[in-house]
Amino acid sequence: EIVLTQSPGTLSLSPGERATLSCRASQSVTSTYLAWYQLKPGLAPRLLIYDISSRATGIPDRFSGSGSGTDFSLIISRLEPEDFAVYYCQQYGSSPLTFGGGTKVEIK
Amino acid sequence: EVLLVESGGGLVQPGGSLRLSCAASGFTFSNSWMNWARQAPGKGLEWVANIKKDGTETHYIDSVKGRFTISRDNARNSLYLQMSSLRAEDTAVYYCVGGTGWLTRYWGQGTLVTVSS
């Protein structure tokens, strides 16, 4: 099983600032099968990024993903008020599919 | 528009059973791997199980193997999760999830399962 470790656990930032979220895998992720999701209370999880760096339909270009092998990042270039949420990375290349523990981006 | 609507959640006693259903529309259900995922109160996301397009292959997280069964009916565009021998730690919001290959692209709103006496 591939274990994903996200850091930091909480990120306290102001609107307009840049957010950098990290996701480290316990072993190399199969191919490019790494995704990022946004979770808000009461809403369905929202796919942001798939295949490490491809934005899902309708996702603004302030969200970007990068990385390879075992180290991955999600960057939000300029935080908007609606971006304050919890973010999860996920690998979907091997079973069981696994998620990281999440990073909460909160308003400072 | 993709729509995934879960139903069947509720309160069940430890050791009991429950069957979740998911009605899918807005995409080619029969051509999609389908999944169940969950989020326990105050915890993160956890993938539970998936099933191949034609139902011939399934995968489960270890903690539910032998207790949960995922199935599908492509004629009805429906996904199911039969849960038995339920434990307190199975308490969670359960999501029906579909997508491209194993990418979990489309998520339902979820249905709450509470295991408690």
Side-chain angles (χ1 to χ4, degrees):
Chain A
E1 171 177 331
I2 297 178
V3 176
L4 300 178
T5 303
Q6 289 186 243
S7 60
T10 303
L11 206 47
S12 298
L13 295 168
S14 300
E17 290 194 293
R18 177 185 177 96
T20 302
L21 287 66
S22 174
C23 176
R24 177 162 290 178
S26 60
Q27 56 188 278
S28 193
V29 170
T30 302
S31 187
T32 59
Y33 297 146
L34 192 286
W36 292 90
Y37 297 83
Q38 179 190 67
L39 235 71
K40 292 183 178 180
L43 297 181
R46 180 189 184 195
L47 175 66
L48 301 174
I49 301 287
Y50 64 97
D51 288 354
I52 297 178
S53 59
S54 297
R55 271 187 300 276
T57 303
I59 301 305
D61 60 8
R62 65 179 181 272
F63 290 92
S64 63
S66 65
S68 65
T70 60
D71 288 290
F72 304 92
S73 296
L74 173 71
I75 292 174
I76 311 171
S77 58
R78 294 174 312 279
L79 283 164
E80 297 288 340
E82 62 268 27
D83 298 337
F84 291 92
V86 182
Y87 294 84
Y88 292 89
C89 60
Q90 179 213 36
Q91 67 80 22
Y92 52 99
S94 62
S95 185
L97 281 63
T98 50
F99 291 90
T103 290
K104 181 179 182 180
V105 179
E106 64 175 23
I107 300 177
K108 186 174 182 181
Chain B
E1 179 195 6
V2 172
L3 206 57
L4 294 165
V5 181
E6 302 93 340
S7 60
L11 175 64
V12 61
Q13 292 190 337
S17 298
L18 211 56
R19 188 195 196 208
L20 304 183
S21 300
C22 170
S25 61
F27 66 106
T28 308
F29 180 83
S30 60
N31 202 34
S32 301
W33 277 80
M34 293 296 297
N35 305 260
W36 288 98
R38 65 186 180 185
Q39 184 176 28
K43 303 291 186 181
L45 291 171
E46 182 178 52
W47 172 83
V48 174
N50 66 7
I51 185 168
K52 195 176 179 179
K53 308 169 190 182
D54 59 3
T56 58
E57 183 179 335
T58 58
H59 300 267
Y60 298 89
I61 194 171
D62 280 351
S63 60
V64 309
K65 281 180 182 175
R67 300 188 301 122
F68 290 11
T69 302
I70 188 172
S71 62
R72 64 191 297 161
D73 184 341
N74 286 347
R76 296 177 182 270
N77 282 1
S78 293
L79 179 72
Y80 306 100
L81 185 67
Q82 178 68 47
M83 304 184 294
S84 60
S85 302
L86 283 161
R87 307 166 180 167
E89 54 264 36
D90 296 318
T91 294
V93 174
Y94 284 74
Y95 296 100
C96 172
V97 194
T100 311
W102 280 5
L103 172 63
T104 48
R105 186 184 294 271
Y106 312 120
W107 293 67
Q109 293 289 330
T111 186
L112 177 62
V113 172
T114 303
V115 184
S116 175
S117 55

